[in-house]
Amino acid sequence: ATIGNSAKIGNSAKIGDSAKIGYYAKIGNYAKIGNEFNRDSKDVFSELNILVMVGILIQNGIGIFYKAVKPDLTDFHRGKYQYKIGKSDKIKLERNQSIDCGEGWHWTSYEKAVAFAEKREHKIISAEIKIDDILSVSNKVRVKAFKNVQEIKL
């Protein structure tokens, strides 16, 4: 299990395999979070859940999500995917909440993107993502499509 900085977990709490808990998360005494927690819930892909889990507000079915990339706009994971300013991409994939880190692209909030970059040389990009293109939701979203990539200069 991965537990973020300053996370607090109460006495006798149980957390299933591969569970991830974000920074400053608090879980009360006797809480149980198993492998199947919220797996098939229809609420996983709701605007409210995306706001709570990722920190992104969805408006008119679209949210602006963020990603840390290398200075050449390639991904940190493999360094092979090239993002292009103003461009879009899509792939055919099925929605599956049980796959957190799988095929597709991963996007998150601005704050989480900056934290992910840590002290590495990076750029932050944004993209418009339709709620219907979100494949899974955790502290990030895994998506099958995005559009209008922009470089963020903050």
Side-chain angles (χ1 to χ4, degrees):
T2 302
I3 301 173
N5 296 339
S6 301
K8 295 179 182 180
I9 301 174
N11 298 334
S12 302
K14 296 180 181 179
I15 300 171
D17 296 338
S18 301
K20 294 182 181 181
I21 300 173
Y23 298 111
Y24 303 105
K26 294 180 182 180
I27 299 175
N29 295 343
Y30 305 103
K32 293 181 182 180
I33 302 172
N35 293 341
E36 306 300 317
F37 176 75
N38 218 11
R39 180 187 222 183
D40 297 320
S41 172
K42 293 177 183 170
D43 293 338
V44 168
F45 301 101
S46 71
E47 292 179 8
L48 180 57
N49 189 57
I50 292 167
L51 177 62
V52 169
M53 296 296 293
V54 188
I56 299 294
L57 181 64
I58 303 292
Q59 296 183 0
N60 300 316
I62 298 172
I64 305 297
F65 290 79
Y66 302 85
K67 181 175 194 69
V69 294
K70 294 179 182 180
D72 65 357
L73 301 183
T74 58
D75 67 282
F76 274 117
H77 184 63
R78 292 193 177 124
K80 294 182 179 181
Y81 186 82
Q82 180 72 57
Y83 292 90
K84 295 178 182 171
I85 303 302
K87 299 297 181 182
S88 306
D89 208 345
K90 64 182 175 178
I91 189 171
K92 281 190 171 191
L93 291 172
E94 295 292 320
R95 186 174 262 185
N96 187 340
Q97 179 62 19
S98 67
I99 303 172
D100 181 35
C101 288
E103 288 184 281
W105 297 276
H106 301 94
W107 296 82
T108 193
S109 68
Y110 177 81
E111 294 82 5
K112 292 173 187 170
V114 170
F116 175 78
E118 296 178 13
K119 295 179 182 179
R120 301 179 277 193
E121 288 291 319
H122 69 279
K123 288 186 178 179
I124 301 295
I125 58 174
S126 69
E128 298 171 20
I129 297 173
K130 293 180 182 177
I131 197 167
D132 292 340
D133 290 330
I134 295 175
L135 303 170
S136 64
V137 178
S138 59
N139 63 342
K140 62 186 175 196
V141 292
R142 185 173 59 88
V143 305
K144 64 181 178 180
F146 61 87
K147 72 180 215 174
N148 195 23
V149 171
Q150 297 296 313
E151 183 178 346
I152 303 300
K153 296 180 181 182
L154 289 178

